Amino acid sequence: MHYTHLVFYIFERIHFEVFWIIMNRTYKQIQQITLAVDCIIFGFDTNKLEVLLVHRGFEPEKDRWSLMGGFVGNNEDLDKAANRVLCDLSGLENVYMEQVRTFGKANRDPYERVVSTTYSALILKKDYRAELISEYRAEWFSINNLPDLIFDHKDMIVSAIQRLRRRVRTVPIGFNLLPEKFTLPQLQKLYEGILGEQIDKRNFRKKLRTMDFLIRLDEKDKSQSKKGAFLYRFDEKEYNKAKSFNI
Amino acid sequence: MHYTHLVFYIFERIHFEVFWIIMNRTYKQIQQITLAVDCIIFGFDTNKLEVLLVHRGFEPEKDRWSLMGGFVGNNEDLDKAANRVLCDLSGLENVYMEQVRTFGKANRDPYERVVSTTYSALILKKDYRAELISEYRAEWFSINNLPDLIFDHKDMIVSAIQRLRRRVRTVPIGFNLLPEKFTLPQLQKLYEGILGEQIDKRNFRKKLRTMDFLIRLDEKDKSQSKKGAFLYRFDEKEYNKAKSFNI
DNA sequence: TCAAAAGTGTTTGTTCTACACCCATGC
DNA sequence: GCATGGGTGTAGAACAAACACTTTTGA
């Protein structure tokens, strides 16, 4: 190796080692931050999409509404923390949940530095244990009529709705908001509620007819009309064969 | 108010207060977690999409490859931390970046509890200061030929690519990977590289012709052919008028 | 003059949209 | 027998996919 190359090489080598030593020290001394999860819990009520909010019972921000949240334990998976919070506060397990995004502005909670990862959950409203409503001062709100919320919880809900609107068109997750057996008018109202727009009945049903995983049962639901509407169920096995969905 | 109602009311009230007192204590005592950001830095090289990785210079996991990352300061916005890490390690500011998702498995880093939020950045490779490549032992890797990576960094890259593939079809972010003036053959190769599939030249150009924000200049780039290809530029103002994009 | 890349349209099939009437039933 | 919600099909427009030849020019 040429002399100047060698000098350059040694210099670079030292530079490199020093950089990593600094990195390594940083690695040990770094500041720690309180990490939270907040759950945007969606439910569906005949024709509108709703979120479940809790009434904050302590200062600061007493008497304002907030999402259900909790802190992440030191040895707890982030996803598990979200499930725990949902389960603690709703009594429900094995609920469809997915991460939305992480909110990390330094002053988002003006009282303390908290970074929060949001998760959205789709639950069947009637599975939600009614007694918890009073226990946690929880209440369902239509997404079109949200109350005043603490911190950036409104932004959290908005971004969860945006994501839900995108996802619900390409993945059959909407069924989590309906009972196992449902009618097509119900399903259409669900989609209209989520997307916030009217859908043509014939075009909607035409699309659904092409989906082999939507099984028509020999039963009718007569609660909404005299004629009665056929009940359907979502067949997961059949869906997994092709995994194509598009509304 | 009827007597039993009153008793019930008081009971519920106490229950509610106790719950919030516990919550409030929890709020103060909660465990804190080291929070990191990792940057998936994408670049484009004539016909393939690449990511920039750094060679880890210290134990544990010495000599393996990793994403560029850093820790979030106690008074630092999460987004700012990602920008800082990118800037420290690439010398670039004002780069297109967006949050991807947060990785929070308790044992994802087997040595220490670290939760990490990933950000993807699209940079123009030639803006990346070459001297930093040797300073940080960084290297560009084709996304089809990634080396062995520490922890869950491979998953991080995979989810960033998935997201990029979705986004690039509906938002004109791909231009961040090209110089200000670019040719249509370049643009097509970029899309082919990102999406990992061939695109029909005539159909591609037909779509682009409908987009008013793609301005053809009176210059040609003759570096790739004798005939030369017209240069174009992306007109942001024009795009903002309609904000519709779809490839 | 020829090799190499740039540029250009048409046809066909698929998907999306708009739209209006009959059916079954309980009251 | 009528009011209420459930159920069905078709025609036109927009969009997507497949496909082959001509142009330019430097070497």
Side-chain angles (χ1 to χ4, degrees):
Chain A
M1 197 186 285
H2 192 280
Y3 177 69
T4 55
H5 281 185
L6 185 66
V7 169
F8 182 77
Y9 175 79
I10 290 167
F11 175 77
E12 188 195 298
R13 196 66 226 173
I14 291 166
H15 195 129
F16 182 65
E17 292 299 344
V18 166
F19 164 71
W20 283 115
I21 288 163
I22 292 167
M23 278 297 286
N24 208 352
R25 286 187 51 213
T26 310
Y27 201 86
K28 301 301 174 203
Q29 301 174 347
I30 204 67
Q31 305 195 25
Q32 297 200 315
I33 292 176
T34 303
L35 195 57
V37 290
D38 282 299
C39 296
I40 297 101
I41 302 174
F42 289 107
F44 179 69
D45 185 11
T46 60
N47 59 9
K48 55 190 198 301
L49 186 64
E50 298 182 332
V51 287
L52 189 61
L53 302 175
V54 298
H55 192 251
R56 189 166 160 114
F58 61 89
E59 297 295 352
E61 310 291 342
K62 193 165 189 281
D63 288 330
R64 290 176 72 194
W65 293 91
S66 86
L67 291 168
M68 287 180 166
F71 297 102
V72 181
N74 219 329
N75 296 306
E76 186 180 42
D77 290 352
L78 193 58
D79 290 352
K80 288 255 173 65
N83 273 289
R84 171 178 55 77
V85 166
L86 178 68
C87 183
D88 281 2
L89 303 183
S90 76
L92 299 175
E93 278 180 277
N94 302 321
V95 164
Y96 182 82
M97 270 191 122
E98 47 181 90
Q99 196 190 106
V100 182
R101 60 175 289 134
T102 299
F103 290 75
K105 281 227 177 301
N107 62 351
R108 52 174 291 279
D109 174 338
Y111 306 100
E112 192 177 359
R113 178 71 200 268
V114 181
V115 169
S116 178
T117 300
T118 52
Y119 281 77
S120 82
L122 305 183
I123 74 171
L124 191 54
K125 249 182 90 171
K126 74 168 177 44
D127 287 350
Y128 184 80
R129 284 164 43 215
E131 74 269 24
L132 295 170
I133 289 268
S134 66
E135 185 165 341
Y136 296 111
R137 288 286 160 93
E139 211 167 291
W140 290 99
F141 287 86
S142 159
I143 59 163
N144 301 313
N145 192 23
L146 295 172
D148 183 35
L149 286 146
I150 61 164
F151 309 159
D152 49 5
H153 286 201
K154 181 109 174 209
D155 299 335
M156 290 176 169
I157 295 173
V158 168
S159 82
I161 292 170
Q162 282 173 354
R163 186 188 167 94
L164 178 61
R165 284 185 175 154
R166 264 180 279 120
R167 297 276 297 168
V168 86
R169 286 174 176 277
T170 52
V171 188
I173 56 177
F175 302 99
N176 290 292
L177 291 162
L178 292 178
E180 197 167 339
K181 298 173 182 180
F182 52 86
T183 67
L184 297 190
Q186 260 184 301
L187 187 63
Q188 184 176 342
K189 292 219 178 70
L190 172 68
Y191 271 87
E192 290 175 338
I194 293 175
L195 299 175
E197 59 193 38
Q198 297 302 104
I199 301 174
D200 181 274
K201 183 166 52 159
R202 282 178 285 188
N203 294 338
F204 184 73
R205 297 167 92 106
K206 206 190 310 167
K207 256 188 196 163
L208 297 177
R209 236 175 284 134
T210 67
M211 301 181 184
D212 301 332
F213 50 81
L214 223 48
I215 315 287
R216 194 176 94 174
L217 306 175
D218 284 332
E219 299 171 68
K220 282 190 165 191
D221 167 40
K222 295 207 168 189
S223 65
Q224 301 305 111
S225 73
K226 292 148 190 171
K227 185 179 178 180
F230 277 105
L231 288 164
Y232 287 73
R233 69 178 176 82
F234 172 73
D235 188 316
E236 185 143 8
K237 274 189 204 139
E238 197 62 37
Y239 170 69
N240 286 331
K241 286 186 193 168
K243 294 223 176 195
S244 91
F245 187 86
N246 181 37
I247 282 183
Chain B
M1 195 185 285
H2 192 277
Y3 177 70
T4 55
H5 281 185
L6 185 65
V7 169
F8 182 77
Y9 175 79
I10 290 167
F11 175 77
E12 189 195 298
R13 196 66 226 173
I14 291 167
H15 194 129
F16 182 64
E17 292 298 343
V18 166
F19 163 71
W20 283 114
I21 288 163
I22 291 167
M23 277 296 286
N24 209 351
R25 285 187 51 212
T26 310
Y27 201 85
K28 302 300 174 204
Q29 300 174 348
I30 205 65
Q31 305 195 23
Q32 298 201 314
I33 292 176
T34 302
L35 196 57
V37 289
D38 282 299
C39 297
I40 297 100
I41 302 175
F42 289 107
F44 179 69
D45 185 12
T46 59
N47 60 8
K48 56 191 198 300
L49 186 64
E50 299 182 331
V51 288
L52 189 60
L53 301 176
V54 297
H55 192 250
R56 190 166 160 115
F58 60 89
E59 296 294 351
E61 311 292 342
K62 193 165 188 284
D63 289 329
R64 289 175 72 195
W65 293 91
S66 88
L67 292 167
M68 287 181 165
F71 298 102
V72 180
N74 220 331
N75 296 307
E76 184 180 43
D77 291 352
L78 194 58
D79 291 351
K80 289 255 174 67
N83 274 290
R84 170 177 56 77
V85 166
L86 177 68
C87 183
D88 281 1
L89 303 183
S90 77
L92 299 175
E93 278 181 275
N94 303 318
V95 164
Y96 182 82
M97 269 191 123
E98 47 180 90
Q99 196 190 108
V100 182
R101 61 175 289 132
T102 299
F103 290 76
K105 282 229 176 301
N107 61 352
R108 53 173 290 280
D109 175 338
Y111 306 100
E112 193 177 356
R113 177 73 200 268
V114 181
V115 169
S116 177
T117 300
T118 52
Y119 281 79
S120 81
L122 305 183
I123 75 170
L124 190 54
K125 251 182 88 172
K126 74 169 176 47
D127 288 351
Y128 185 80
R129 284 168 40 217
E131 75 269 23
L132 294 169
I133 289 269
S134 66
E135 184 164 344
Y136 298 112
R137 289 284 160 96
E139 212 166 290
W140 290 98
F141 286 86
S142 158
I143 60 163
N144 300 314
N145 191 23
L146 295 172
D148 184 36
L149 286 145
I150 61 166
F151 309 160
D152 49 5
H153 286 201
K154 180 109 175 210
D155 298 336
M156 290 176 169
I157 295 173
V158 168
S159 84
I161 292 170
Q162 282 172 354
R163 186 188 167 94
L164 179 60
R165 284 186 174 153
R166 265 181 278 118
R167 297 277 295 170
V168 86
R169 285 175 177 278
T170 52
V171 188
I173 55 176
F175 302 99
N176 291 292
L177 292 163
L178 291 178
E180 198 166 337
K181 298 173 182 180
F182 52 87
T183 67
L184 297 190
Q186 261 185 300
L187 187 61
Q188 183 175 342
K189 291 220 179 70
L190 172 69
Y191 271 87
E192 289 176 337
I194 293 175
L195 299 174
E197 60 192 38
Q198 297 301 106
I199 301 174
D200 180 274
K201 183 165 53 157
R202 281 178 286 190
N203 292 337
F204 183 73
R205 297 168 91 106
K206 206 188 310 165
K207 255 190 198 163
L208 296 178
R209 235 175 285 137
T210 67
M211 302 181 182
D212 301 333
F213 50 81
L214 223 49
I215 316 289
R216 193 176 96 172
L217 306 175
D218 283 333
E219 297 171 69
K220 282 191 164 190
D221 166 40
K222 294 205 168 190
S223 65
Q224 300 306 111
S225 73
K226 292 150 189 171
K227 184 177 179 181
F230 276 105
L231 287 164
Y232 286 74
R233 68 179 178 80
F234 173 73
D235 187 317
E236 185 144 10
K237 275 190 202 135
E238 196 62 36
Y239 169 70
N240 286 331
K241 286 186 191 167
K243 293 221 178 199
S244 90
F245 187 85
N246 181 36
I247 283 184

mmCIF file of all heavy atoms in Angstrom, chain B residues 89-116:
data_model
loop_
_atom_site.group_PDB
_atom_site.id
_atom_site.type_symbol
_atom_site.label_atom_id
_atom_site.label_comp_id
_atom_site.label_asym_id
_atom_site.label_seq_id
_atom_site.Cartn_x
_atom_site.Cartn_y
_atom_site.Cartn_z
ATOM 1 N N LEU B 89 -26.226 12.080 9.807
ATOM 2 C CA LEU B 89 -25.555 10.979 9.144
ATOM 3 C C LEU B 89 -25.506 11.112 7.634
ATOM 4 O O LEU B 89 -24.848 10.325 6.976
ATOM 5 C CB LEU B 89 -26.194 9.654 9.562
ATOM 6 C CG LEU B 89 -26.214 9.380 11.078
ATOM 7 C CD1 LEU B 89 -26.795 8.019 11.359
ATOM 8 C CD2 LEU B 89 -24.835 9.487 11.705
ATOM 9 N N SER B 90 -26.210 12.097 7.091
ATOM 10 C CA SER B 90 -26.160 12.244 5.637
ATOM 11 C C SER B 90 -25.786 13.666 5.232
ATOM 12 O O SER B 90 -25.467 13.904 4.080
ATOM 13 C CB SER B 90 -27.515 11.893 5.021
ATOM 14 O OG SER B 90 -28.425 12.960 5.221
ATOM 15 N N GLY B 91 -25.861 14.593 6.164
ATOM 16 C CA GLY B 91 -25.585 15.976 5.824
ATOM 17 C C GLY B 91 -26.730 16.655 5.089
ATOM 18 O O GLY B 91 -26.597 17.784 4.647
ATOM 19 N N LEU B 92 -27.863 15.969 4.964
ATOM 20 C CA LEU B 92 -28.973 16.531 4.193
ATOM 21 C C LEU B 92 -30.073 17.070 5.089
ATOM 22 O O LEU B 92 -30.453 16.457 6.079
ATOM 23 C CB LEU B 92 -29.565 15.445 3.291
ATOM 24 C CG LEU B 92 -28.612 14.833 2.252
ATOM 25 C CD1 LEU B 92 -29.296 13.702 1.520
ATOM 26 C CD2 LEU B 92 -28.163 15.908 1.279
ATOM 27 N N GLU B 93 -30.594 18.228 4.663
ATOM 28 C CA GLU B 93 -31.753 18.788 5.356
ATOM 29 C C GLU B 93 -32.913 18.925 4.386
ATOM 30 O O GLU B 93 -32.719 18.838 3.180
ATOM 31 C CB GLU B 93 -31.397 20.172 5.926
ATOM 32 C CG GLU B 93 -30.674 20.076 7.255
ATOM 33 C CD GLU B 93 -30.354 21.458 7.798
ATOM 34 O OE1 GLU B 93 -29.315 22.019 7.400
ATOM 35 O OE2 GLU B 93 -31.130 21.962 8.614
ATOM 36 N N ASN B 94 -34.082 19.161 4.902
ATOM 37 C CA ASN B 94 -35.266 19.357 4.067
ATOM 38 C C ASN B 94 -35.498 18.211 3.090
ATOM 39 O O ASN B 94 -35.744 18.408 1.904
ATOM 40 C CB ASN B 94 -35.179 20.672 3.281
ATOM 41 C CG ASN B 94 -35.004 21.847 4.207
ATOM 42 O OD1 ASN B 94 -35.653 21.901 5.249
ATOM 43 N ND2 ASN B 94 -34.142 22.761 3.843
ATOM 44 N N VAL B 95 -35.370 17.032 3.607
ATOM 45 C CA VAL B 95 -35.543 15.840 2.794
ATOM 46 C C VAL B 95 -36.960 15.332 2.999
ATOM 47 O O VAL B 95 -37.541 15.502 4.072
ATOM 48 C CB VAL B 95 -34.518 14.774 3.227
ATOM 49 C CG1 VAL B 95 -34.885 13.406 2.715
ATOM 50 C CG2 VAL B 95 -33.124 15.183 2.772
ATOM 51 N N TYR B 96 -37.521 14.727 1.964
ATOM 52 C CA TYR B 96 -38.852 14.150 2.112
ATOM 53 C C TYR B 96 -38.799 12.945 3.037
ATOM 54 O O TYR B 96 -38.101 11.972 2.775
ATOM 55 C CB TYR B 96 -39.405 13.718 0.758
ATOM 56 C CG TYR B 96 -40.794 13.155 0.864
ATOM 57 C CD1 TYR B 96 -41.890 13.997 0.922
ATOM 58 C CD2 TYR B 96 -41.011 11.784 0.966
ATOM 59 C CE1 TYR B 96 -43.163 13.498 1.070
ATOM 60 C CE2 TYR B 96 -42.289 11.273 1.114
ATOM 61 C CZ TYR B 96 -43.350 12.138 1.152
ATOM 62 O OH TYR B 96 -44.615 11.641 1.313
ATOM 63 N N MET B 97 -39.570 13.011 4.119
ATOM 64 C CA MET B 97 -39.575 11.935 5.125
ATOM 65 C C MET B 97 -40.991 11.690 5.596
ATOM 66 O O MET B 97 -41.758 12.635 5.751
ATOM 67 C CB MET B 97 -38.799 12.390 6.358
ATOM 68 C CG MET B 97 -37.344 12.054 6.337
ATOM 69 S SD MET B 97 -36.640 12.345 7.969
ATOM 70 C CE MET B 97 -35.986 10.731 8.309
ATOM 71 N N GLU B 98 -41.305 10.450 5.846
ATOM 72 C CA GLU B 98 -42.565 10.210 6.551
ATOM 73 C C GLU B 98 -42.461 9.026 7.489
ATOM 74 O O GLU B 98 -41.693 8.098 7.274
ATOM 75 C CB GLU B 98 -43.753 10.045 5.594
ATOM 76 C CG GLU B 98 -43.548 9.129 4.434
ATOM 77 C CD GLU B 98 -44.805 9.068 3.563
ATOM 78 O OE1 GLU B 98 -44.934 9.882 2.632
ATOM 79 O OE2 GLU B 98 -45.649 8.200 3.832
ATOM 80 N N GLN B 99 -43.252 9.103 8.547
ATOM 81 C CA GLN B 99 -43.249 8.035 9.527
ATOM 82 C C GLN B 99 -43.806 6.771 8.900
ATOM 83 O O GLN B 99 -44.783 6.839 8.152
ATOM 84 C CB GLN B 99 -44.111 8.443 10.725
ATOM 85 C CG GLN B 99 -43.882 7.593 11.947
ATOM 86 C CD GLN B 99 -44.915 7.852 13.042
ATOM 87 O OE1 GLN B 99 -45.799 7.024 13.299
ATOM 88 N NE2 GLN B 99 -44.808 8.984 13.694
ATOM 89 N N VAL B 100 -43.216 5.645 9.217
ATOM 90 C CA VAL B 100 -43.739 4.386 8.712
ATOM 91 C C VAL B 100 -44.526 3.681 9.816
ATOM 92 O O VAL B 100 -45.743 3.694 9.802
ATOM 93 C CB VAL B 100 -42.633 3.480 8.136
ATOM 94 C CG1 VAL B 100 -43.231 2.197 7.577
ATOM 95 C CG2 VAL B 100 -41.876 4.211 7.039
ATOM 96 N N ARG B 101 -43.853 3.082 10.771
ATOM 97 C CA ARG B 101 -44.563 2.522 11.903
ATOM 98 C C ARG B 101 -43.606 2.321 13.065
ATOM 99 O O ARG B 101 -42.406 2.554 12.940
ATOM 100 C CB ARG B 101 -45.275 1.219 11.550
ATOM 101 C CG ARG B 101 -44.349 0.124 11.080
ATOM 102 C CD ARG B 101 -45.142 -1.166 10.885
ATOM 103 N NE ARG B 101 -45.531 -1.697 12.162
ATOM 104 C CZ ARG B 101 -46.771 -2.118 12.463
ATOM 105 N NH1 ARG B 101 -47.714 -2.097 11.563
ATOM 106 N NH2 ARG B 101 -47.036 -2.593 13.658
ATOM 107 N N THR B 102 -44.151 1.904 14.197
ATOM 108 C CA THR B 102 -43.354 1.780 15.400
ATOM 109 C C THR B 102 -43.197 0.321 15.759
ATOM 110 O O THR B 102 -44.174 -0.424 15.755
ATOM 111 C CB THR B 102 -44.016 2.574 16.535
ATOM 112 O OG1 THR B 102 -44.065 3.941 16.144
ATOM 113 C CG2 THR B 102 -43.236 2.449 17.821
ATOM 114 N N PHE B 103 -41.962 -0.063 16.033
ATOM 115 C CA PHE B 103 -41.641 -1.443 16.381
ATOM 116 C C PHE B 103 -41.400 -1.513 17.880
ATOM 117 O O PHE B 103 -40.521 -0.836 18.389
ATOM 118 C CB PHE B 103 -40.420 -1.915 15.592
ATOM 119 C CG PHE B 103 -40.717 -2.097 14.124
ATOM 120 C CD1 PHE B 103 -40.841 -0.995 13.285
ATOM 121 C CD2 PHE B 103 -40.932 -3.364 13.602
ATOM 122 C CE1 PHE B 103 -41.142 -1.163 11.939
ATOM 123 C CE2 PHE B 103 -41.228 -3.537 12.253
ATOM 124 C CZ PHE B 103 -41.337 -2.432 11.415
ATOM 125 N N GLY B 104 -42.215 -2.322 18.561
ATOM 126 C CA GLY B 104 -42.175 -2.273 20.015
ATOM 127 C C GLY B 104 -42.173 -3.601 20.723
ATOM 128 O O GLY B 104 -42.571 -3.678 21.882
ATOM 129 N N LYS B 105 -41.746 -4.657 20.053
ATOM 130 C CA LYS B 105 -41.646 -5.947 20.758
ATOM 131 C C LYS B 105 -40.654 -5.796 21.910
ATOM 132 O O LYS B 105 -39.616 -5.147 21.772
ATOM 133 C CB LYS B 105 -41.145 -7.051 19.823
ATOM 134 C CG LYS B 105 -42.198 -7.592 18.884
ATOM 135 C CD LYS B 105 -42.211 -9.127 18.919
ATOM 136 C CE LYS B 105 -43.322 -9.703 18.065
ATOM 137 N NZ LYS B 105 -44.676 -9.243 18.486
ATOM 138 N N ALA B 106 -40.994 -6.395 23.058
ATOM 139 C CA ALA B 106 -40.183 -6.204 24.257
ATOM 140 C C ALA B 106 -38.733 -6.659 24.041
ATOM 141 O O ALA B 106 -37.807 -6.056 24.570
ATOM 142 C CB ALA B 106 -40.801 -6.952 25.435
ATOM 143 N N ASN B 107 -38.554 -7.699 23.250
ATOM 144 C CA ASN B 107 -37.192 -8.233 23.098
ATOM 145 C C ASN B 107 -36.607 -7.987 21.708
ATOM 146 O O ASN B 107 -35.737 -8.726 21.266
ATOM 147 C CB ASN B 107 -37.206 -9.732 23.382
ATOM 148 C CG ASN B 107 -38.108 -10.454 22.390
ATOM 149 O OD1 ASN B 107 -38.818 -9.806 21.606
ATOM 150 N ND2 ASN B 107 -38.071 -11.763 22.395
ATOM 151 N N ARG B 108 -37.089 -6.958 21.033
ATOM 152 C CA ARG B 108 -36.584 -6.752 19.670
ATOM 153 C C ARG B 108 -35.094 -6.399 19.658
ATOM 154 O O ARG B 108 -34.365 -6.773 18.758
ATOM 155 C CB ARG B 108 -37.396 -5.694 18.904
ATOM 156 C CG ARG B 108 -37.562 -4.364 19.583
ATOM 157 C CD ARG B 108 -38.237 -3.358 18.673
ATOM 158 N NE ARG B 108 -37.362 -2.965 17.595
ATOM 159 C CZ ARG B 108 -36.381 -2.068 17.712
ATOM 160 N NH1 ARG B 108 -36.160 -1.465 18.870
ATOM 161 N NH2 ARG B 108 -35.621 -1.773 16.682
ATOM 162 N N ASP B 109 -34.671 -5.648 20.658
ATOM 163 C CA ASP B 109 -33.242 -5.453 20.895
ATOM 164 C C ASP B 109 -32.923 -6.296 22.121
ATOM 165 O O ASP B 109 -33.369 -5.978 23.222
ATOM 166 C CB ASP B 109 -32.980 -3.967 21.154
ATOM 167 C CG ASP B 109 -31.534 -3.672 21.539
ATOM 168 O OD1 ASP B 109 -30.836 -4.597 22.005
ATOM 169 O OD2 ASP B 109 -31.113 -2.517 21.382
ATOM 170 N N PRO B 110 -32.192 -7.384 21.967
ATOM 171 C CA PRO B 110 -32.037 -8.327 23.080
ATOM 172 C C PRO B 110 -31.191 -7.781 24.221
ATOM 173 O O PRO B 110 -31.150 -8.373 25.295
ATOM 174 C CB PRO B 110 -31.356 -9.541 22.436
ATOM 175 C CG PRO B 110 -30.791 -9.068 21.153
ATOM 176 C CD PRO B 110 -31.570 -7.881 20.724
ATOM 177 N N TYR B 111 -30.531 -6.631 23.997
ATOM 178 C CA TYR B 111 -29.631 -6.132 25.026
ATOM 179 C C TYR B 111 -30.274 -5.088 25.918
ATOM 180 O O TYR B 111 -29.803 -4.803 27.007
ATOM 181 C CB TYR B 111 -28.376 -5.545 24.375
ATOM 182 C CG TYR B 111 -27.729 -6.549 23.454
ATOM 183 C CD1 TYR B 111 -27.915 -6.495 22.077
ATOM 184 C CD2 TYR B 111 -26.974 -7.593 23.983
ATOM 185 C CE1 TYR B 111 -27.345 -7.446 21.244
ATOM 186 C CE2 TYR B 111 -26.405 -8.553 23.160
ATOM 187 C CZ TYR B 111 -26.599 -8.468 21.785
ATOM 188 O OH TYR B 111 -26.051 -9.412 20.976
ATOM 189 N N GLU B 112 -31.322 -4.473 25.454
ATOM 190 C CA GLU B 112 -31.879 -3.327 26.153
ATOM 191 C C GLU B 112 -33.287 -3.100 25.620
ATOM 192 O O GLU B 112 -33.554 -3.361 24.454
ATOM 193 C CB GLU B 112 -31.010 -2.103 25.818
ATOM 194 C CG GLU B 112 -31.248 -0.917 26.674
ATOM 195 C CD GLU B 112 -30.292 0.227 26.306
ATOM 196 O OE1 GLU B 112 -29.424 0.027 25.432
ATOM 197 O OE2 GLU B 112 -30.437 1.298 26.889
ATOM 198 N N ARG B 113 -34.185 -2.571 26.443
ATOM 199 C CA ARG B 113 -35.531 -2.295 25.935
ATOM 200 C C ARG B 113 -35.522 -0.995 25.161
ATOM 201 O O ARG B 113 -35.352 0.083 25.752
ATOM 202 C CB ARG B 113 -36.553 -2.184 27.086
ATOM 203 C CG ARG B 113 -37.952 -1.821 26.607
ATOM 204 C CD ARG B 113 -38.603 -2.994 25.903
ATOM 205 N NE ARG B 113 -39.718 -2.673 25.025
ATOM 206 C CZ ARG B 113 -40.993 -2.661 25.367
ATOM 207 N NH1 ARG B 113 -41.355 -2.900 26.600
ATOM 208 N NH2 ARG B 113 -41.922 -2.419 24.462
ATOM 209 N N VAL B 114 -35.714 -1.106 23.873
ATOM 210 C CA VAL B 114 -35.794 0.075 23.018
ATOM 211 C C VAL B 114 -36.986 -0.068 22.092
ATOM 212 O O VAL B 114 -37.142 -1.088 21.433
ATOM 213 C CB VAL B 114 -34.522 0.243 22.148
ATOM 214 C CG1 VAL B 114 -34.633 1.489 21.287
ATOM 215 C CG2 VAL B 114 -33.272 0.291 23.005
ATOM 216 N N VAL B 115 -37.827 0.943 22.082
ATOM 217 C CA VAL B 115 -38.918 0.993 21.113
ATOM 218 C C VAL B 115 -38.476 1.946 20.007
ATOM 219 O O VAL B 115 -37.915 3.001 20.289
ATOM 220 C CB VAL B 115 -40.216 1.479 21.772
ATOM 221 C CG1 VAL B 115 -41.277 1.794 20.728
ATOM 222 C CG2 VAL B 115 -40.724 0.436 22.757
ATOM 223 N N SER B 116 -38.709 1.548 18.772
ATOM 224 C CA SER B 116 -38.202 2.373 17.679
ATOM 225 C C SER B 116 -39.271 2.711 16.655
ATOM 226 O O SER B 116 -39.993 1.843 16.175
ATOM 227 C CB SER B 116 -37.048 1.657 16.986
ATOM 228 O OG SER B 116 -36.605 2.434 15.898
#
